[in-house]
Amino acid sequence: MALTPIACFSVLMWTSATVGAQPEATRINVMEDEDVILPCSIKAQTIKAKGFDWKTQDKKEVFLYENGQTYNDGLSGQDQQFRGRVFHFPDQIESSNASIVIQGAKVADSGTYTCRIPSVSAEIRSIIQLTVGHILKDRTKENIPGAAPRPYVTTVDQTNDWALLQCEVDGAFPEPRVEWQDSDGHVLPSEEPQVSEKGGRFYITLRTTVTKSGNFRCVATQEEIFHQIYTETFVHLSGAASEPSVTILHQTKEQAVLQCVVRGASPKPDVFWLDSSGKVLPAGEPKITERGGSYDIILQTTVTKTDRYRCVAKQEEINHQIHQEIYVHLNEVPTGWIVAALIFFVLLVGAVVLLVILCKKFNKLKRDKEQQRQTETY
Ligand SMILES: *[C@@H]1O[C@H](CO)[C@@H](O)[C@H](O)[C@H]1NC(C)=O
């Protein structure tokens, strides 16, 4: 019994020592779907042997490193919420860096996290108060004052190999973070953003050069008001021919002159006209112009039948083919009618000839009869 106060006292001492040595909580704010690094490290001690673990305040197991193993490669006990989403930095272990990254933060991840590294003085090396903000996507100025409007995206310059894209975000407050991203959400290296401030609002222009075809996004994020908005643009670079443009140059009742234009294709495409049965039509000499290895081709053909015609651009080398169709209606006389008219004409001629022969026969008969009558009278 006499020991109890001492035991109590030691527990108190130990607790206060631990609590007293606790680091200040660090606040970290991120947006939904972002990756967040929770920092934790210790000086002059190796975590390789001692290991470390991360828990939430409500005792959920977030991450454990023990004897070179983690939850990701064998250890059990990790909370379902964090499974497959939390990683440490193996290359930082030697420098006793016990930081972790939570991938694709969720609003539910918000809370307090503690990092423990077994140690004599203070086990808790880091306390993180994480707030994961829910993003109000695509809300405009009218909904939230200061929210960035949808970015304005333009292609400033383009060749076969690259495109210079520009993004403008006008009149936002607080100042948004403006980024270019590829279709996988990776942030692209960009030029230094140009930022100006007018009437308490920020105007930001950000340029990037892309070197492959695909969808690219300019994203404006205002973490403070949990607002994010983006504009997506498609960049077409490979030199693959785009859809030909086809037109009827001029048309009479009997024929039409069709024109097909293929622009900015590289390598040089084969361009030809087909009728609806897939037969290649005779066409004039194609007009070819070349500019920096990229070809413009104009091909005309004359058609005399009502049909659906197709202009095809084919680039064998890059296994690319694309076409555009046009329907041509001509007031031609249908062949059926011509045949009918011909038959009618032949029949008509036949009938006339027959009539003439019959007439002659009839006249001869009449004359013979008259002669007979005259002979009888004499
Ligand atoms: C620990 O590693 C992370 C990830 O590489 C890094 O961001 C952080 O700065 C490192 N901390 C220290 C103290 O070196």
Side-chain angles (χ1 to χ4, degrees), residues 18 31 45 93 126 138 144 155 165 179 191 228 247 260 294 296 370 372:
T18 324
M31 309 276 276
Q45 210 173 328
I93 287 290
S126 176
D138 289 5
I144 319 166
T155 302
L165 306 179
E179 288 167 335
E191 293 174 13
Q228 187 175 66
T247 44
C260 174
S294 150
D296 291 352
E370 217 140 283
Q372 216 174 9

Coordinates of all heavy atoms in Angstrom, one line a residue, residues 18 31 45 93 126 138 144 155 165 179 191 228 247 260 294 296 370 372:
T18 N 6.4 12.9 -20.7 CA 6.1 12.5 -22.1 C 5.3 13.7 -22.7 O 5.6 14.2 -23.8 CB 5.3 11.2 -22.2 OG1 5.8 10.4 -21.2 CG2 5.4 10.6 -23.5
M31 N -6.7 19.5 -50.1 CA -8.0 19.3 -50.7 C -8.1 17.8 -51.0 O -7.2 17.1 -51.2 CB -8.0 20.0 -52.1 CG -7.5 21.5 -51.9 SD -8.9 22.5 -51.5 CE -9.6 22.8 -53.0
Q45 N 19.4 9.3 -34.2 CA 18.9 8.0 -33.8 C 18.5 7.3 -35.0 O 18.0 7.9 -36.0 CB 17.7 8.2 -32.9 CG 17.5 7.1 -31.9 CD 16.4 7.4 -30.9 OE1 16.2 8.6 -30.6 NE2 15.8 6.4 -30.4
I93 N 14.9 6.3 -44.9 CA 15.0 5.6 -43.7 C 16.4 5.8 -43.0 O 16.5 6.1 -41.8 CB 14.8 4.1 -43.9 CG1 13.3 3.8 -44.2 CG2 15.3 3.2 -42.7 CD1 12.4 4.0 -43.0
S126 N 5.8 13.5 -33.6 CA 5.1 14.4 -34.5 C 3.6 14.3 -34.3 O 3.1 13.2 -34.2 CB 5.5 14.1 -36.0 OG 4.7 14.9 -36.9
D138 N -16.3 23.3 -60.0 CA -17.0 24.0 -61.0 C -18.1 25.0 -60.6 O -19.1 25.1 -61.2 CB -17.6 23.0 -62.0 CG -16.5 22.3 -62.8 OD1 -15.3 22.6 -62.5 OD2 -16.8 21.6 -63.7
I144 N -19.9 31.7 -55.2 CA -19.0 32.0 -54.1 C -18.3 33.3 -54.5 O -17.7 33.4 -55.5 CB -17.9 30.9 -53.8 CG1 -18.5 29.5 -54.0 CG2 -17.3 31.1 -52.5 CD1 -17.4 28.5 -54.1
T155 N -4.4 28.0 -77.6 CA -3.2 27.5 -78.1 C -2.5 28.7 -78.8 O -3.0 29.2 -79.8 CB -3.5 26.4 -79.1 OG1 -4.2 25.4 -78.5 CG2 -2.2 25.8 -79.7
L165 N 0.5 26.2 -74.9 CA -0.8 26.5 -74.3 C -0.8 27.6 -73.3 O 0.1 27.7 -72.5 CB -1.4 25.2 -73.7 CG -1.4 23.9 -74.5 CD1 -1.9 22.8 -73.7 CD2 -2.2 24.1 -75.8
E179 N -2.6 25.6 -62.4 CA -1.6 24.5 -62.8 C -2.1 23.9 -64.1 O -3.3 23.9 -64.4 CB -1.6 23.3 -61.8 CG -0.9 23.6 -60.5 CD -1.3 22.5 -59.5 OE1 -2.3 21.9 -59.6 OE2 -0.4 22.3 -58.6
E191 N 5.8 27.6 -67.4 CA 6.6 28.8 -67.3 C 6.2 29.5 -66.0 O 5.2 29.1 -65.4 CB 6.3 29.8 -68.5 CG 6.8 29.2 -69.8 CD 6.4 30.1 -71.0 OE1 6.0 31.2 -70.7 OE2 6.6 29.6 -72.1
Q228 N -12.4 24.7 -56.7 CA -11.6 24.3 -57.8 C -12.4 24.2 -59.1 O -13.5 23.8 -59.1 CB -11.0 22.9 -57.6 CG -9.9 22.5 -58.6 CD -9.3 21.1 -58.2 OE1 -10.0 20.1 -58.2 NE2 -8.0 21.1 -57.9
T247 N -16.3 19.8 -100.3 CA -17.3 20.7 -100.8 C -17.6 20.5 -102.2 O -16.9 19.8 -103.0 CB -16.7 22.2 -100.7 OG1 -15.4 22.2 -101.2 CG2 -16.7 22.7 -99.3
C260 N -11.7 18.2 -102.2 CA -11.4 17.7 -100.9 C -10.1 18.4 -100.5 O -9.1 18.5 -101.2 CB -11.1 16.2 -101.0 SG -10.5 15.4 -99.5
S294 N 5.0 19.6 -93.2 CA 3.6 19.3 -93.1 C 2.8 19.7 -94.4 O 3.1 20.7 -95.0 CB 3.1 20.1 -91.9 OG 1.7 20.5 -92.0
D296 N -0.4 20.2 -97.1 CA -1.8 20.5 -97.5 C -2.0 20.0 -98.9 O -1.2 20.2 -99.8 CB -2.0 22.1 -97.5 CG -1.8 22.7 -96.2 OD1 -1.7 22.0 -95.2 OD2 -1.8 23.9 -96.1
E370 N -60.4 -3.1 -159.3 CA -60.9 -2.2 -160.3 C -60.7 -2.7 -161.7 O -61.6 -2.7 -162.5 CB -60.2 -0.8 -160.1 CG -61.2 0.3 -160.3 CD -61.0 1.4 -159.3 OE1 -61.4 1.3 -158.1 OE2 -60.4 2.4 -159.8
Q372 N -60.3 -5.8 -162.6 CA -61.2 -6.9 -162.8 C -62.6 -6.5 -163.2 O -63.2 -7.0 -164.1 CB -61.3 -7.7 -161.4 CG -61.4 -9.2 -161.7 CD -61.3 -10.0 -160.3 OE1 -61.4 -9.4 -159.3 NE2 -61.2 -11.3 -160.5

